[in-house]
Every structure is written in structure tokens, then in C-alpha cells.
Amino acid sequence: METIKLTIDNKAVEVEKGATLLDAAKKIGIRIPTLCHLNLHEFEYKNEPGACRICVVEVEGRRNLAPACKTTCTEGMVVQTYSPRVINARKTVMELILSNHPSDCLICSKNENCELQKVAYDLHMRESRFSGHRISHRKDRSESIVRDMSKCIMCRRCETMCNSIQTVGTLSAVDRGFESLVQTPFDRNIADSSCTYCGQCVAVCPVGALSGRSHTQYVLDMLADPTKTVIVQTAPAVRTALGNDFGFLPGTLVTGKMVTALRQLGFDYVFDTDFAADLTIMEEGTELLGRLGGYLNGDKEVKIPLMTSCCPGWVNFVEKNYPELSDHLSTAKSPQQMFGAIAKTYFAEKLGIKREDLVVVSIMPCLAKKYEASRPEFAVDGNPDVDVSIYTRELARLIRYANIDFRNLPDSDFDQPLGESTGASVIFGTTGGVMEAACRTAYEVHTKKTLGDVNFECLRGLNGIKSATIDFDGVPVKVGIANGLGNARAMIEEVKNGTSPYHAIEIMACPGGCINGGGQPFHHGDINVIKRRASALYKEDADKARRKSHENPYIISLYKEYLGEPCGPLSHKLLHTHYYDRRSKLPNGKAQELKEICARFNNDPGELINVLHAAQGKFGYIPQEVQEVIAAELNIPVSKVYGVVSFYSFFTMTPKGKYPISICMGTACYVRGAEKVLDEFERQLDIKVGETTKDGLFSIDCLRCVGACGLAPVAMIGDQVYGRVTPEKVKDILSDYYEKEG
């Protein structure tokens, strides 16, 4: 391995060739502040646009300051990371960022977790020399995620996560200059976009531009209502992360303290989602064995591989991208929803109360669970099985709100009967855990033999894609595991193409699984935080007296007293569901024409601009539905297509008029009054740039230059060029076209 030697802040360091100054400084414990840069090696996530320039350093012999995240180390380089020149430059950059950033830190959801706030504090920012107009954007609130682009600093971490890692294609940088921002395609609300609510954009956002939707006030209101019985369920990944917010080391299990805190908050019963995870294994495992039996007996109608349905972000991904494969999803509800269904039937009957008077609160590591709880199919006569889901950070806020001394709380146990669980359910919180739990039960149910070693090491680890063949006493069962939606896409493409070798597939939307959910305490780029959380869950599993879901005595009792048998009539009614096609559609004729255009360019993503030109030539404009088909055919995120269409002024997303007007706004035209000419065209036609008159005759656009500077200011209507246009001439120019139309 070739290495490079250099000096940083008078400290010698040797690094591998190709390393950046940021890498070298980190190796010797020198912290260089960053905002846009983030590198999660294990998840193959790397965001390094070099845009914020807060990481500039001084390199001896170099005239300008160098961005540490983009500058490669060279032999003998001498670097200063905190010289007066560097500090002054960083403070100037920070002043410019803050000049267009809201100053509402006290009420911001990211307060005390904001990376911009931390860098500003470290730079001792107490005032800014720059003031002026601040861009303001509307807030977009979905059930799970809130977007406030007024706080966006254009680090583009969310864009990289959404497009490169998750391949969801919801977020992309659009427009230019001061107007540029990260946006959804077509400026749609999150709820109307391709978003799966995985929340990974929230997890990497350094500021408060993206945050989880808070429902803590609703929980407080329910706890204060004397007519309601309020119960709570907690997911396995929560107990291994909650302690982070109270000074415990990452991965410290705080299960007992969490239960005590929930009781002090006022919940009537504190239960464990792990109970429902054991229930999920009984239902999903039985479904798997049923499908496998039919498949091995030659039934061509059986959908194999069976794909797990525990993760709502993954389910949303299938519905919006691969609805034709929705029958491969297990019909078993997620543990959250199974718990809610049992709580509002079986448990409500035990208490002797109406389901409307029982409030079920779930505490999840996940933002997608909020959307899942709100889905209408998970309700009876409008009353949801799970009334509200809050995430781990929200629970931490509630504990602080109640002034609970969390660190010094005594441990206590979950309530029964919905609080007992096995080790199999605990590992649901990490990638591979659902499949391992399923294999423990499915093996014994199928073979009627005791499984000696319940540790399936081949299914563990943070690798994006894992696979194994499990011997079910002579029957080889091939299983696949993916975490992160980009890896899921690669695996599901095989299913779509009929080349998948698997009988069962587990997928979790978040890289690493629920331990890295969008609602967990922020990891700030430290992958060791995720690893410690996983290790803690495996340790709890190993310490459990029972480690197989079918051995949970309360699960056995539930089937005996109430449900009957797994996948039986009652359990199927309560604990299973079906999923839907949530894609927008284009009429078949137009879709086929678009596919032919894309095929002419070999469906090559590198030909995107040429494809867009051809599409606009065919249809006259490039609306949302056209962009979605192009994205699908070129196998790229629709956000990328939208980013290109919105960036180049030639493309339009609205129909152009019969007489398209183009006003040149190049330098020569601008200084000679093009802006006033544009204003007059808009006044005469009562439309703005990018719009079309109601009669369809005229539309207005701006061009950068038409190459006729000697005639400035210039306007074009169709192919006709008008030179030396003044506002007074506009009415006469338009009248000629009105006369043509009679």
C-alpha cells in the first residue's frame, strides 16, 4: 500500500495515497468542522460536494485556502487548520450561511442537536455583518416528516441519501443561485411524492430543514383524559438507543428504566412490542411454511419468495415502485399493528371497555410507523388499531418534559400479558433479526425437532445484502436479507425478472435496520453507534430464558384462548392485510411513445437531456407523468429528471401557448430594459413567466441569450425575432397575433 507523509498543525501523519486532508486530520485527532461532508463507510454513503466551505484549511505554498474534504494529500504537504486566515474565512462563510437562515433556534426541532449551531458556537459567532432578504418557504407536514426548506443550507446530504442509498428519488436540488433549494419533484407535498417515510433524510440532515412530525402533545392530552385508558408498546430498538439522550454510552440497554419512566408519565399499562414480534413470527412463519409447501409440490400460483412486511418503509417502497410484486409481500401485519389489533380486541375485552376508550400509543425507532398507524385499513369504523406512534427522540422529550431523573430510575418489568417476549423478538431491531427469528420457529415447526444452536451467525452483520441456505432437515431453504432500500431494489429486481434464487427475503428500509431508524437519537456519522446498538440486542437475546417465539407462554395462551391457530380464520382477519398500487399513471398510448423514445437512446441515463428534448418535441412540454415514465425507463430517480427539467430554461412543465413568447434576459438585453419589457408582456396577458393564457394562445418564458445583442432588448414569438423592443411596442406586437386569430 502506497502511503503519503505530511504535516498537519505541526503533527506528522502518514496516510494511504488518495486520502483527503479531512481523513488525515481525523487520523491524528484533529477536528476540522464540516457541514456538507458525511461518510458512512459501512453503508457506502458518502456525501462530499465541497459546497459549504466551512472545512477550509491553509496549505503551505498554495495561494487560496483548500477545502479539507476535497483536497487530496500529497507528499510533504504542510497544513494549518486553525490559522487566523482560516478562522476568519470560516467565520465569513458562517456569517453568509446564517444571513439566510432563520434565527428560531429555541423552538427548532434540532435545537442542541444542530450541527450548524455547534459550528457557530465553536466559531464564537455572536453577530453577523450580513443582513438582507431571507428566502422563506412553506412548511410541508406529512404524517411522518416535516420539511422546512427555509432552514436548508444546501449541504445535499438528504439528496445523496434519498437518491444514491435509498434510490427513492424524492429529493433533488432545483433552480439556480439564491433561489436554489432541495425540493420534491414538481414541488409536491411529501405525502404526494415517492417518499417512503424511511426518515433517513432526517437522520443525516445537519439542521432542522427535515424533521420528524411530533405527536407528543396528543399523547399528553390522552394521558390527561380521565375517560381514556392509555397503554403503550415499545419496540426493541428503542431500549438500546434511548439512553443516548441521557448520557449513557451508545448501545446501553435501558429497558427497565424506560418502563419505569413510562409509568411515571402516566400510562396505565406498559407493554412490549416484542410480544407482537413473537406473534408476527407465528403468523408469518406459518404463512412461509404454507407457501413453501405449495411451491415444492408444484403449485405455480404460489408467490415465492415470500417477502417480510414488518417494515412500513419497505412496504411503501413496494407499493410505489413494484406494486406488481405486492403479492410476494407477507400478508402479516407488522408487530406494531398486530399489537394494536390484539390490544383493541382481546385486551379491551379483558378490561371490559370499548375499543374507542382504549388509546394505544407505540414508541418506535421509525418515522414510517406514524404513517403506517394512520392507514385506513388499520382501523375499525374509523377507530385506529394504533392511535398514535411516537419515535425515540419524542419519548426522550416527554421524559425531560416530566422532569424525570432518568439516569437514577429503578428498573421495572413490563406488564402482562402483552409484555412477555423471547430473544427471537428482541433481534427484530437489527437487520437479519426477523429472518433469524423466523428460522428458529419455522425449523422446529416443520421438522418437529429441537434446534440445537439457535444462533444463525450467517444472517448477522451490517452488510447491505446477505444470503444463506438453511437446512430444514433435508429441505434447503434459501434466504436473502437486504437493509437499505437501494440494496432492496437490487434484490427485488431479481424477483421481478424471475431470477431470484430465494424462498424468503427479509428487507428493512433503514441501513442497519431499526437500530438506525429515522426516529432514533442522531448518530452524527459515527457508525460505531449503530454497531453497539446491534450488539446490545444480540446480548439481550442471548440472556433470555426463551429464545424461540413459539415458546412464549403468553403467545401459546393467546392462541388457545382467543385466536385459535396461526393463519386461522380469526387470526387472519385480525392480523393480516393486503397492499396496493400507489403509483401515478400515464395513459398507455403516451407511455408507449415515451418508452420508444427512451429505447432510441438505449435507455441510457447519460442520454437524459436528449431524451427530454425528444419528449418535449413530441408532447410540447414535460409534465410530471412524462418525467415519471422517463425515470422508470432510464432507471434513475424521478428527482434527478425533475432537477434537470427545472434547471434548464429550455424545458417546460406546462403546455406552451400557440405563440410562445421568449424574452432575452442576457446582459445586453437586461441593461437595456428587458425587465420592463417582460413586465409589460405579463401585464398585457395577465400571466407570469412559465404560464399560459387561458385561451392557449400565449405563454411566456425567459432565455439567457439569443445571440442578437446588437438588437437588444430582444423578444421572440415562435421563430419571429423582435429587436429593440420597448414596453410601448408590446401591445402592437400582440395585436398582430390577435388579428391572425380573428
Side-chain angles (χ1 to χ4, degrees):
M1 181 179 67
E2 190 174 350
T3 60
I4 299 293
K5 294 180 180 179
L6 66 156
T7 302
I8 302 179
D9 292 346
N10 301 316
K11 293 182 180 179
V13 60
E14 186 172 357
V15 294
E16 184 179 349
K17 185 178 181 180
T20 65
L21 289 177
L22 192 64
D23 297 327
K26 186 176 181 180
K27 185 174 181 179
I28 54 177
I30 295 175
R31 178 182 168 272
I32 297 175
T34 61
L35 287 172
C36 63
H37 181 274
L38 188 64
N39 194 344
L40 296 169
H41 298 280
E42 282 80 354
F43 299 144
E44 298 181 0
Y45 171 90
K46 193 172 187 179
N47 188 72
E48 49 175 8
C52 73
R53 275 337 197 233
I54 209 72
C55 69
V56 291
V57 295
E58 191 170 5
V59 179
E60 188 175 282
R62 182 167 170 168
R63 181 175 57 83
N64 59 323
L65 296 177
C69 69
K70 300 292 286 185
T71 304
T72 304
C73 298
T74 59
E75 186 66 37
M77 185 180 275
V78 177
V79 181
Q80 292 292 325
T81 69
Y82 286 95
S83 68
R85 183 186 179 196
V86 167
I87 297 301
N88 287 334
R90 288 180 188 166
K91 293 189 74 169
T92 300
V93 169
M94 180 58 69
E95 286 180 289
L96 290 168
I97 293 173
L98 295 178
S99 71
N100 190 37
H101 195 81
S103 300
D104 59 355
C105 297
L106 288 177
I107 58 173
C108 179
S109 64
K110 209 66 182 285
N111 189 23
E112 293 192 350
N113 271 305
C114 176
E115 294 177 41
L116 180 67
Q117 190 180 62
K118 185 180 188 315
V119 174
Y121 176 82
D122 290 344
L123 289 172
H124 196 66
M125 301 295 299
R126 294 296 180 264
E127 58 184 0
S128 176
R129 292 169 291 169
F130 309 115
S131 62
H133 177 66
R134 289 181 175 177
I135 294 292
S136 178
H137 300 283
R138 64 182 179 87
K139 278 191 178 181
D140 173 16
R141 291 181 174 89
S142 71
E143 193 66 30
S144 297
I145 294 173
V146 177
R147 285 192 312 137
D148 184 358
M149 290 298 104
S150 298
K151 297 178 180 179
C152 178
I153 60 172
M154 288 299 289
C155 70
R156 302 177 73 170
R157 289 185 187 179
C158 60
E159 182 183 1
T160 299
M161 178 59 77
C162 188
N163 295 331
S164 300
I165 304 303
Q166 299 296 72
T167 67
V168 171
T170 299
L171 299 171
S172 182
V174 301
D175 290 331
R176 300 182 180 204
F178 201 59
E179 302 296 327
S180 62
L181 77 158
V182 174
Q183 195 180 70
T184 58
F186 325 112
D187 194 23
R188 290 180 294 192
N189 291 331
I190 281 281
D192 302 320
S193 73
S194 60
C195 181
T196 65
Y197 305 119
C198 72
Q200 287 303 300
C201 58
V202 176
V204 298
C205 179
V207 290
L210 292 160
S211 60
R213 176 81 177 268
S214 176
H215 291 92
T216 52
Q217 189 58 51
Y218 174 86
V219 174
L220 290 169
D221 291 343
M222 291 300 100
L223 290 172
D225 188 341
T227 68
K228 302 295 184 183
T229 298
V230 187
I231 68 175
V232 64
Q233 56 165 316
T234 65
V238 173
R239 67 204 63 182
T240 187
L242 178 62
N244 287 38
D245 274 358
F246 296 97
F248 290 90
L249 291 175
T252 301
L253 286 169
V254 292
T255 312
K257 294 181 186 299
M258 175 184 68
V259 173
T260 303
L262 290 168
R263 287 205 178 95
Q264 290 191 11
L265 283 168
F267 288 99
D268 296 298
Y269 296 91
V270 181
F271 292 131
D272 196 353
T273 310
D274 286 7
F275 172 87
D278 280 334
L279 186 59
T280 299
I281 289 300
M282 297 302 294
E283 294 296 320
E284 197 167 84
T286 301
E287 183 181 13
L288 171 60
L289 289 174
R291 290 200 196 189
L292 270 177
Y295 174 77
L296 295 174
N297 287 326
D299 187 346
K300 302 297 183 183
E301 299 300 316
V302 173
K303 298 298 182 181
I304 290 290
L306 174 74
M307 301 187 297
T308 60
S309 55
C310 295
C311 172
W314 155 240
V315 170
N316 295 341
F317 185 78
V318 173
E319 289 180 321
K320 292 182 176 180
N321 294 274
Y322 299 95
E324 68 274 19
L325 300 180
S326 60
D327 286 344
H328 285 268
L329 284 168
S330 168
T331 62
K333 295 178 182 178
S334 73
Q336 170 180 268
Q337 297 307 133
M338 281 197 184
F339 181 95
I342 292 298
K344 292 213 172 178
T345 53
Y346 171 73
F347 188 64
E349 290 174 18
K350 277 187 170 293
L351 294 180
I353 63 175
K354 298 177 181 178
R355 67 174 287 138
E356 293 81 7
D357 294 329
L358 181 67
V359 176
V360 178
V361 177
S362 75
I363 301 173
M364 297 285 140
C366 176
L367 299 185
K369 289 292 182 184
K370 289 176 176 284
Y371 166 76
E372 181 185 52
S374 73
R375 289 178 66 135
E377 64 266 32
F378 297 143
V380 176
D381 297 329
N383 180 258
D385 293 336
V386 175
D387 293 271
V388 67
S389 176
I390 65 174
Y391 48 86
T392 311
R393 296 192 302 273
E394 282 184 282
L395 174 57
R397 290 177 206 145
L398 279 172
I399 293 171
R400 287 197 182 91
Y401 177 85
N403 199 29
I404 294 172
D405 183 7
F406 188 82
R407 285 190 65 89
N408 294 312
L409 287 177
D411 291 347
S412 57
D413 295 326
F414 289 105
D415 292 311
Q416 300 300 349
L418 309 183
E420 182 66 28
S421 63
T422 69
S425 63
V426 172
I427 57 176
F428 263 57
T430 185
T431 174
V434 177
M435 187 63 71
E436 182 169 351
C439 286
R440 292 177 187 180
T441 288
Y443 177 90
E444 293 199 355
V445 171
H446 174 72
T447 66
K448 306 297 190 292
K449 296 180 179 180
T450 300
L451 182 64
D453 184 4
V454 299
N455 298 312
F456 289 82
E457 298 288 346
C458 57
L459 305 180
R460 300 181 180 184
L462 295 181
N463 292 339
I465 294 178
K466 302 185 286 285
S467 62
T469 300
I470 311 299
D471 182 5
F472 275 38
D473 198 25
V475 178
V477 178
K478 297 179 180 179
V479 299
I481 297 168
N483 64 95
L485 290 174
N487 293 318
R489 185 183 291 275
M491 192 168 277
I492 202 174
E493 281 289 338
E494 293 181 338
V495 179
K496 180 181 177 180
N497 297 332
T499 59
S500 175
Y502 304 115
H503 298 113
I505 293 176
E506 177 216 290
I507 292 178
M508 292 187 178
C510 296
C514 303
I515 49 175
N516 186 34
Q520 295 282 67
F522 297 108
H523 53 68
H524 296 298
D526 186 355
I527 197 67
N528 289 318
V529 170
I530 311 302
K531 291 179 177 178
R532 290 185 186 119
R533 290 173 185 171
S535 297
L537 293 183
Y538 284 120
K539 183 181 185 304
E540 184 173 358
D541 165 40
D543 291 342
K544 285 276 190 177
R546 299 182 183 90
R547 302 182 64 190
K548 304 163 191 172
S549 295
H550 58 286
E551 293 180 349
N552 185 331
Y554 287 95
I555 292 291
I556 295 170
S557 177
L558 177 65
Y559 278 106
K560 184 177 180 180
E561 292 179 20
Y562 191 74
L563 290 175
E565 61 181 4
C567 292
L570 181 56
S571 64
H572 200 276
K573 177 183 177 181
L574 289 179
L575 307 178
H576 292 255
T577 188
H578 290 281
Y579 300 102
Y580 311 101
D581 185 345
R582 298 181 185 272
R583 296 181 298 184
S584 59
K585 297 176 178 64
L586 189 70
N588 287 334
K590 285 188 176 181
Q592 186 56 41
E593 289 179 282
L594 271 174
K595 290 178 181 179
E596 291 172 0
I597 288 173
C598 294
R600 286 209 313 265
F601 294 95
N602 301 315
N603 293 328
D604 182 359
E607 296 287 348
L608 173 59
I609 288 183
N610 289 329
V611 170
L612 290 171
H613 276 294
Q616 183 159 290
K618 182 71 177 179
F619 300 112
Y621 67 114
I622 312 175
Q624 167 186 330
E625 296 82 1
V626 168
Q627 293 183 49
E628 288 172 340
V629 172
I630 291 173
E633 292 302 300
L634 271 55
N635 197 27
I636 57 177
V638 68
S639 58
K640 182 173 182 179
V641 179
Y642 175 67
V644 171
V645 172
S646 63
F647 185 81
Y648 292 104
S649 58
F650 176 84
F651 298 122
T652 178
M653 288 180 279
T654 56
K656 286 190 175 182
K658 182 177 180 180
Y659 303 110
I661 301 170
S662 299
I663 310 298
C664 180
M665 299 299 285
T667 303
C669 290
Y670 186 84
V671 299
R672 294 182 187 177
E675 191 171 26
K676 292 181 179 179
V677 172
L678 173 61
D679 289 343
E680 185 61 21
F681 270 108
E682 290 180 334
R683 192 183 72 80
Q684 290 285 340
L685 297 172
D686 194 25
I687 58 174
K688 296 294 183 182
V689 171
E691 297 178 349
T692 301
T693 56
K694 292 180 180 179
D695 57 14
L697 288 179
F698 298 98
S699 57
I700 302 178
D701 283 301
C702 294
L703 296 176
R704 297 300 172 192
C705 186
V706 297
C709 300
L711 298 175
V714 173
M716 294 178 63
I717 301 183
D719 294 329
Q720 179 66 45
V721 177
Y722 294 86
R724 301 186 178 89
V725 181
T726 64
E728 293 74 24
K729 294 180 181 179
V730 169
K731 186 174 182 179
D732 291 339
I733 292 173
L734 291 174
S735 65
D736 291 341
Y737 292 90
Y738 282 121
E739 288 178 9
K740 288 182 184 180
E741 296 299 315

